[in-house]
């Protein structure tokens, strides 16, 4: 349905035009006059700023035979029953993934349909922040480093880099990453979509419900892809959940603090 609008934009001074067919939207840069014309167009539901979002920070954890968080969710019991993620593909939408990480290199699915950088800065997996590598490790890493790390150590990963070299994401890049996850190779006749899409970041609006990515999430769920978002680190007080984790059709994951592992200085 965006075809006529794309033709119009092509001759009206718009730049960096990206069709977002997953949400029936278009991302673009345009002069102020064109933005005003679009905002007054009856065929345009909404014009909104391509808002920036800062990348989360990564933190180092202590080493143990089986990490306490895996025991807390009962992962070892599932491993004993044979549920280790074999045959599954998980997508990390984060700061990227360090392909040189020994726990993750062999678990990358590989190929042109397994990495997406909407900023066009890196053609192969990379992570300048560390957070995406940490999150991907929590999903699929094994125990080669001396402790069990990943929940599904036999699964493979793909990744879309939603945060750029400066550690900033824009909404349109996130839309494009979610769209990529629905059809990584751009060929709807092939089934190369991941089974799970994970995004361990939030919009830093505790208590608010921002539905800007709801259409994307609905499309992924309609394709039987599980969508997981972090619930944020603003609790434990009431009304501290954040989007996109508190929107519909999302598996929202919170955090647990193990007080026994904290060290206090006197």
């Amino acid at each position: 349905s965006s075809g006529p609008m794309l033709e119009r934009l092509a001759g009206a001074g718009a730049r960096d035009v990206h069709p977002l067919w997953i949400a029936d939207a278009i991302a673009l840069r345009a002069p102020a006059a064109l933005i005003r014309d679009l905002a007054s167009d009856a065929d345009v539901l909404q014009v909104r700023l391509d808002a920036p979002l800062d990348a989360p920070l990564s933190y180092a954890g202590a080493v143990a035979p089986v990490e306490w968080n895996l025991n807390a969710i009962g992962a070892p019991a599932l491993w004993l029953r044979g549920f280790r993620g074999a045959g599954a593909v998980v997508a990390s939408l984060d700061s990227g993934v360090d392909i040189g990480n020994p726990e993750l290199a062999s678990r990358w699915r590989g190929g042109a349909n397994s990495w997406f950088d909407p900023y066009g800065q890196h053609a192969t997996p990379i992570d300048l922040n560390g957070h995406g590598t940490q999150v991907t490790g929590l999903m699929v890493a094994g125990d080669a480093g001396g402790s069990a790390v990943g929940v599904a150590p036999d699964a493979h990963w793909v990744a879309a880099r939603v945060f750029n070299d400066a550690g900033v994401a824009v909404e349109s890049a996130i839309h494009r990453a979610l769209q990529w996850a629905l059809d990584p190779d751009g060929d709807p006749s092939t089934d190369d979509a991941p089974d799970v899409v994970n995004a361990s970041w939030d919009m830093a609006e505790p208590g608010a419900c921002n539905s800007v990515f709801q259409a994307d999430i609905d499309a992924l769920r309609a394709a039987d892809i599980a969508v997981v978002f972090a619930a944020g680190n603003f609790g434990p007080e009431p009304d501290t959940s954040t989007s996109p984790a508190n929107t519909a059709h999302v598996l929202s994951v919170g955090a647990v603090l193990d007080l026994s592992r904290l060290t206090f200085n006197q």
Side-chain angles (χ1 to χ4, degrees), residues 237-258:
E237 290 76 19
D239 298 322
T240 52
S241 69
T242 186
S243 299
N246 59 11
T247 53
H249 308 146
V250 168
L251 176 59
S252 178
V253 177
V256 176
L257 178 63
D258 183 357

Side-chain angles (χ1 to χ4, degrees), residues 98-118:
D98 178 7
I99 192 62
N101 185 293
E103 284 281 12
L104 299 178
S106 63
R107 291 172 171 83
W108 184 41
R109 183 174 67 179
N113 64 342
S114 297
W115 169 254
F116 177 59
D117 182 354

Side-chain angles (χ1 to χ4, degrees), residues 73-183:
I73 63 172
L78 289 176
W79 297 341
L80 291 174
R81 297 176 60 187
F83 296 106
R84 295 175 52 88
V89 176
V90 298
S92 173
L93 273 59
D94 210 292
S95 61
V97 180
D98 178 7
I99 192 62
N101 185 293
E103 284 281 12
L104 299 178
S106 63
R107 291 172 171 83
W108 184 41
R109 183 174 67 179
N113 64 342
S114 297
W115 169 254
F116 177 59
D117 182 354
Y119 307 100
Q121 294 175 322
H122 300 279
T124 56
I126 191 173
D127 184 6
L128 302 181
N129 173 286
H131 187 268
T133 301
Q134 182 181 41
V135 169
T136 306
L138 290 171
M139 294 192 289
V140 304
D143 57 6
S147 63
V149 175
V151 176
D154 289 347
H156 285 84
W157 62 269
V158 299
R161 183 174 178 261
V162 299
F163 297 99
N164 62 19
D165 282 359
V168 177
V170 290
E171 286 184 5
S172 63
I174 297 171
H175 283 296
R176 294 176 65 197
L178 292 164
Q179 178 171 283
W180 171 84
L182 188 60
D183 185 18

